[in-house]
Amino acid sequence: MIQFTNLAESDHPHFAQNLFEEAFPEQERPPFSTIRQRDAGKFHFLVATNDDEPVGILTYWTFDDLIYVEHFAIDEELRNQGLGKAVFLNFLSQQQEQVVLEIELPNTEEADHRLEFYASMGFFQNPQPYEQPSYHNDGRTVPMIIMSKYELDDDEFSEIRDLLYREVYGVK
């Protein structure tokens, strides 16, 4: 059975840190040492387990009418077995709000697979251009795609982009 536990209460903090640092390039994640400094009322770091064995991680932010999934990863040895979809759908089933996430541009096989993965769960690929701000205050941005549970019009997209820039990345 799939369960989620907050990182602070998890029996698997080393698994969580290792997966977080291995699954995401440095430019697409904050330093792990800063995770506990984030606003605990809005930011959540979950460790996913299946029958009490750690299988993945999911970080997300809660805002008034929005859930922003910042990072999601399944242990590399457990990928392509349907577990990622089961974990993510379990998380989604608990969310009534709009859910958004960022993915890399589909210019590699892995990025293509990621796009197909979220699209298979009903997520929309929004056409508006988006740049992920730097986590490291070096000014480097990463071109990304915003995917969402419900399709975004231009005004909604701009509001969400501005919210993420301000609250998640600390950019005005």
Side-chain angles (χ1 to χ4, degrees):
M1 176 194 319
I2 295 168
Q3 293 185 302
F4 295 104
T5 306
N6 286 314
L7 177 63
E9 299 158 8
S10 172
D11 293 333
H12 309 287
H14 296 295
F15 166 86
Q17 180 174 355
N18 289 340
L19 182 55
F20 182 75
E21 292 175 345
E22 291 171 4
F24 302 98
E26 186 174 353
Q27 67 187 24
E28 294 180 22
R29 63 174 164 80
F32 191 81
S33 61
T34 67
I35 292 295
R36 289 198 166 98
Q37 299 166 6
R38 291 177 153 201
D39 181 345
K42 294 180 183 176
F43 177 74
H44 312 274
F45 192 121
L46 303 178
V47 179
T49 57
N50 188 25
D51 296 328
D52 297 323
E53 290 298 318
V55 297
I57 58 169
L58 189 144
T59 70
Y60 71 101
W61 294 77
T62 54
F63 300 108
D64 289 340
D65 297 317
L66 177 74
I67 301 295
Y68 166 60
V69 175
E70 187 173 16
H71 296 97
F72 174 62
I74 295 296
D75 187 302
E76 188 171 13
E77 294 178 13
L78 301 173
R79 293 179 191 160
N80 300 313
Q81 300 174 25
L83 188 57
K85 192 169 194 172
V87 169
F88 201 78
L89 286 173
N90 183 303
F91 173 77
L92 282 180
S93 72
Q94 301 170 37
Q95 313 308 320
Q96 303 305 312
E97 300 87 352
Q98 168 70 288
V99 177
V100 299
L101 51 92
E102 304 166 338
I103 63 165
E104 301 93 345
L105 298 177
N107 51 17
T108 66
E109 188 175 322
E110 187 177 359
D112 288 342
H113 176 72
R114 193 167 290 113
L115 177 63
E116 292 168 8
F117 173 78
Y118 291 113
S120 76
M121 291 181 281
F123 274 72
F124 292 92
Q125 177 182 346
N126 292 284
Q128 299 90 339
Y130 179 79
E131 296 277 328
Q132 179 193 64
S134 173
Y135 280 108
H136 305 284
N137 297 320
D138 59 10
R140 293 179 19 207
T141 61
V142 180
M144 298 280 225
I145 294 170
I146 292 285
M147 295 191 79
S148 55
K149 190 171 165 183
Y150 309 112
E151 196 167 10
L152 302 173
D153 65 29
D154 288 343
D155 289 339
E156 292 168 323
F157 181 89
S158 293
E159 286 177 31
I160 289 171
R161 180 200 59 220
D162 293 348
L163 175 70
L164 297 179
Y165 279 13
R166 184 177 62 254
E167 297 290 330
V168 176
Y169 299 103
V171 177
K172 300 295 180 196

